[in-house]
Amino acid sequence: MFHLLLVGLGNLPFPNTRHSVGHIIIDALASRFAIRMSPGKALDGFTGHSHVILGESHVDLTLFKPKPFMNITGPAVATALRHTTHSPGTMIVIHDSLQHTPKTLSVKFGGSANGHNGVRSVIAALGGDPNFYRFRIGIGRDGDAASYVLGRLSAEECAHWDVGGGLDMVCKELSRVALKPPAT
């Protein structure tokens, strides 16, 4: 059975902000798949695990919501990877993207961090290995980036990623990843 680690980046002290959209999506997936999230014993974050069906694939799914702030989240993610799937190619990192319009999802495998400090931290903690999936969640851009990402998502955007079409898009892309052999 294919084992997939799904990591949602965010800042726990700043829930429902654009920067924490990865946490919102992890919580929504936990609800959709009836996965109980709890503080990890050996992990610096909240984790949940279950066998789920994604499309037509049976998947051993681990959800992880790191506790450290976004810019230093890499070591916690690397530890979660070592305790679960072991291979970066079986990990998906969900994060906000200033380069994409709000309420959009862009999937990428490998490559640079594109200026995202959380992804940069993950790549560094994996010894420079960028070969994992990224689900880039569009938040748009307006004014100063640092202030903008810490701004609250609108109620419409929260609903979109929590129970609406955005969560359906995420599940559809998860199904596509689950159909592929693990990337190495």
Side-chain angles (χ1 to χ4, degrees), residues 151-174:
R152 296 187 72 76
L153 284 170
S154 70
E156 178 186 344
E157 287 174 291
C158 281
H160 178 73
W161 296 113
D162 186 29
V163 293
L167 187 60
D168 293 337
M169 285 191 301
V170 168
C171 289
K172 183 177 180 181
E173 293 301 329
L174 284 173

Short mmCIF file of all heavy atoms in Angstrom, two decimals, residues 151-174:
data_model
loop_
_atom_site.label_atom_id
_atom_site.label_comp_id
_atom_site.label_asym_id
_atom_site.label_seq_id
_atom_site.Cartn_x
_atom_site.Cartn_y
_atom_site.Cartn_z
N GLY A 151 -2.26 38.37 7.33
CA GLY A 151 -3.64 38.82 7.33
C GLY A 151 -4.59 37.64 7.31
O GLY A 151 -4.27 36.56 6.82
N ARG A 152 -5.77 37.83 7.84
CA ARG A 152 -6.76 36.76 7.92
C ARG A 152 -7.36 36.46 6.55
O ARG A 152 -7.60 37.36 5.76
CB ARG A 152 -7.86 37.14 8.90
CG ARG A 152 -7.30 37.27 10.33
CD ARG A 152 -8.34 37.46 11.39
NE ARG A 152 -9.14 36.30 11.67
CZ ARG A 152 -8.75 35.24 12.38
NH1 ARG A 152 -7.54 35.19 12.84
NH2 ARG A 152 -9.57 34.24 12.62
N LEU A 153 -7.58 35.19 6.31
CA LEU A 153 -8.31 34.77 5.11
C LEU A 153 -9.76 35.24 5.24
O LEU A 153 -10.30 35.27 6.35
CB LEU A 153 -8.30 33.25 4.96
CG LEU A 153 -7.02 32.60 4.46
CD1 LEU A 153 -7.12 31.09 4.64
CD2 LEU A 153 -6.75 32.95 3.02
N SER A 154 -10.38 35.56 4.13
CA SER A 154 -11.79 35.92 4.18
C SER A 154 -12.60 34.68 4.55
O SER A 154 -12.14 33.54 4.40
CB SER A 154 -12.25 36.44 2.81
OG SER A 154 -12.28 35.38 1.87
N ALA A 155 -13.81 34.90 5.03
CA ALA A 155 -14.70 33.78 5.37
C ALA A 155 -14.92 32.90 4.15
O ALA A 155 -14.97 31.67 4.24
CB ALA A 155 -16.02 34.30 5.93
N GLU A 156 -15.03 33.52 2.98
CA GLU A 156 -15.24 32.77 1.73
C GLU A 156 -14.04 31.88 1.42
O GLU A 156 -14.20 30.71 1.05
CB GLU A 156 -15.48 33.76 0.58
CG GLU A 156 -15.67 33.09 -0.76
CD GLU A 156 -15.75 34.09 -1.90
OE1 GLU A 156 -15.96 35.29 -1.67
OE2 GLU A 156 -15.60 33.63 -3.06
N GLU A 157 -12.82 32.42 1.59
CA GLU A 157 -11.62 31.61 1.33
C GLU A 157 -11.49 30.48 2.34
O GLU A 157 -11.13 29.35 1.97
CB GLU A 157 -10.37 32.49 1.36
CG GLU A 157 -10.22 33.39 0.16
CD GLU A 157 -9.05 34.33 0.31
OE1 GLU A 157 -9.14 35.23 1.17
OE2 GLU A 157 -8.06 34.15 -0.42
N CYS A 158 -11.76 30.76 3.60
CA CYS A 158 -11.71 29.70 4.63
C CYS A 158 -12.67 28.57 4.28
O CYS A 158 -12.31 27.39 4.33
CB CYS A 158 -12.04 30.26 6.01
SG CYS A 158 -10.68 31.12 6.80
N ALA A 159 -13.89 28.92 3.92
CA ALA A 159 -14.89 27.91 3.56
C ALA A 159 -14.46 27.13 2.32
O ALA A 159 -14.65 25.91 2.23
CB ALA A 159 -16.26 28.55 3.35
N HIS A 160 -13.86 27.83 1.36
CA HIS A 160 -13.40 27.19 0.12
C HIS A 160 -12.41 26.06 0.41
O HIS A 160 -12.51 24.98 -0.14
CB HIS A 160 -12.75 28.26 -0.77
CG HIS A 160 -12.20 27.75 -2.06
ND1 HIS A 160 -13.01 27.37 -3.10
CD2 HIS A 160 -10.93 27.54 -2.47
CE1 HIS A 160 -12.25 26.97 -4.11
NE2 HIS A 160 -10.99 27.06 -3.75
N TRP A 161 -11.46 26.32 1.32
CA TRP A 161 -10.43 25.33 1.64
C TRP A 161 -10.86 24.36 2.72
O TRP A 161 -10.30 23.28 2.86
CB TRP A 161 -9.12 26.01 2.02
CG TRP A 161 -8.56 26.77 0.88
CD1 TRP A 161 -8.42 28.14 0.79
CD2 TRP A 161 -8.10 26.25 -0.37
NE1 TRP A 161 -7.91 28.47 -0.43
CE2 TRP A 161 -7.68 27.34 -1.16
CE3 TRP A 161 -7.98 24.97 -0.89
CZ2 TRP A 161 -7.18 27.18 -2.45
CZ3 TRP A 161 -7.47 24.81 -2.18
CH2 TRP A 161 -7.08 25.91 -2.94
N ASP A 162 -11.87 24.71 3.50
CA ASP A 162 -12.31 23.86 4.61
C ASP A 162 -13.33 22.81 4.18
O ASP A 162 -13.19 21.64 4.51
CB ASP A 162 -12.87 24.74 5.73
CG ASP A 162 -13.21 23.95 6.98
OD1 ASP A 162 -12.56 22.93 7.24
OD2 ASP A 162 -14.12 24.36 7.69
N VAL A 163 -14.35 23.21 3.47
CA VAL A 163 -15.41 22.26 3.10
C VAL A 163 -15.84 22.41 1.65
O VAL A 163 -16.66 21.63 1.17
CB VAL A 163 -16.66 22.43 4.01
CG1 VAL A 163 -16.36 22.03 5.43
CG2 VAL A 163 -17.21 23.84 3.94
N GLY A 164 -15.31 23.40 0.95
CA GLY A 164 -15.80 23.71 -0.38
C GLY A 164 -15.00 23.11 -1.51
O GLY A 164 -14.30 22.11 -1.36
N GLY A 165 -15.07 23.79 -2.64
CA GLY A 165 -14.43 23.33 -3.86
C GLY A 165 -12.93 23.20 -3.75
O GLY A 165 -12.33 22.36 -4.43
N GLY A 166 -12.31 24.04 -2.93
CA GLY A 166 -10.86 23.95 -2.76
C GLY A 166 -10.43 22.63 -2.15
O GLY A 166 -9.45 22.01 -2.58
N LEU A 167 -11.18 22.17 -1.16
CA LEU A 167 -10.86 20.89 -0.53
C LEU A 167 -11.07 19.76 -1.54
O LEU A 167 -10.28 18.81 -1.57
CB LEU A 167 -11.70 20.66 0.72
CG LEU A 167 -11.32 19.44 1.54
CD1 LEU A 167 -9.87 19.50 2.02
CD2 LEU A 167 -12.26 19.28 2.72
N ASP A 168 -12.09 19.87 -2.38
CA ASP A 168 -12.30 18.87 -3.44
C ASP A 168 -11.13 18.86 -4.41
O ASP A 168 -10.69 17.79 -4.85
CB ASP A 168 -13.61 19.15 -4.18
CG ASP A 168 -14.84 18.94 -3.32
OD1 ASP A 168 -14.75 18.20 -2.32
OD2 ASP A 168 -15.89 19.54 -3.65
N MET A 169 -10.59 20.06 -4.76
CA MET A 169 -9.42 20.14 -5.64
C MET A 169 -8.22 19.44 -5.01
O MET A 169 -7.49 18.71 -5.68
CB MET A 169 -9.05 21.60 -5.93
CG MET A 169 -9.96 22.31 -6.89
SD MET A 169 -9.30 23.92 -7.45
CE MET A 169 -9.09 24.83 -5.93
N VAL A 170 -8.01 19.66 -3.72
CA VAL A 170 -6.90 19.03 -3.01
C VAL A 170 -7.05 17.51 -3.06
O VAL A 170 -6.10 16.79 -3.38
CB VAL A 170 -6.80 19.54 -1.55
CG1 VAL A 170 -5.84 18.68 -0.73
CG2 VAL A 170 -6.39 21.00 -1.52
N CYS A 171 -8.25 17.02 -2.80
CA CYS A 171 -8.48 15.56 -2.81
C CYS A 171 -8.27 14.98 -4.22
O CYS A 171 -7.71 13.88 -4.36
CB CYS A 171 -9.88 15.24 -2.30
SG CYS A 171 -10.03 15.51 -0.52
N LYS A 172 -8.68 15.71 -5.23
CA LYS A 172 -8.49 15.26 -6.61
C LYS A 172 -6.99 15.14 -6.93
O LYS A 172 -6.55 14.15 -7.52
CB LYS A 172 -9.16 16.22 -7.59
CG LYS A 172 -9.07 15.81 -9.02
CD LYS A 172 -9.84 16.79 -9.91
CE LYS A 172 -9.75 16.40 -11.36
NZ LYS A 172 -10.47 17.35 -12.22
N GLU A 173 -6.21 16.13 -6.51
CA GLU A 173 -4.77 16.08 -6.76
C GLU A 173 -4.09 15.01 -5.91
O GLU A 173 -3.14 14.37 -6.36
CB GLU A 173 -4.13 17.45 -6.52
CG GLU A 173 -4.55 18.50 -7.54
CD GLU A 173 -4.22 18.13 -8.98
OE1 GLU A 173 -3.22 17.42 -9.23
OE2 GLU A 173 -4.98 18.55 -9.88
N LEU A 174 -4.58 14.79 -4.69
CA LEU A 174 -4.05 13.68 -3.88
C LEU A 174 -4.27 12.36 -4.59
O LEU A 174 -3.40 11.49 -4.60
CB LEU A 174 -4.73 13.65 -2.51
CG LEU A 174 -4.30 14.68 -1.49
CD1 LEU A 174 -5.19 14.61 -0.26
CD2 LEU A 174 -2.85 14.48 -1.10
#
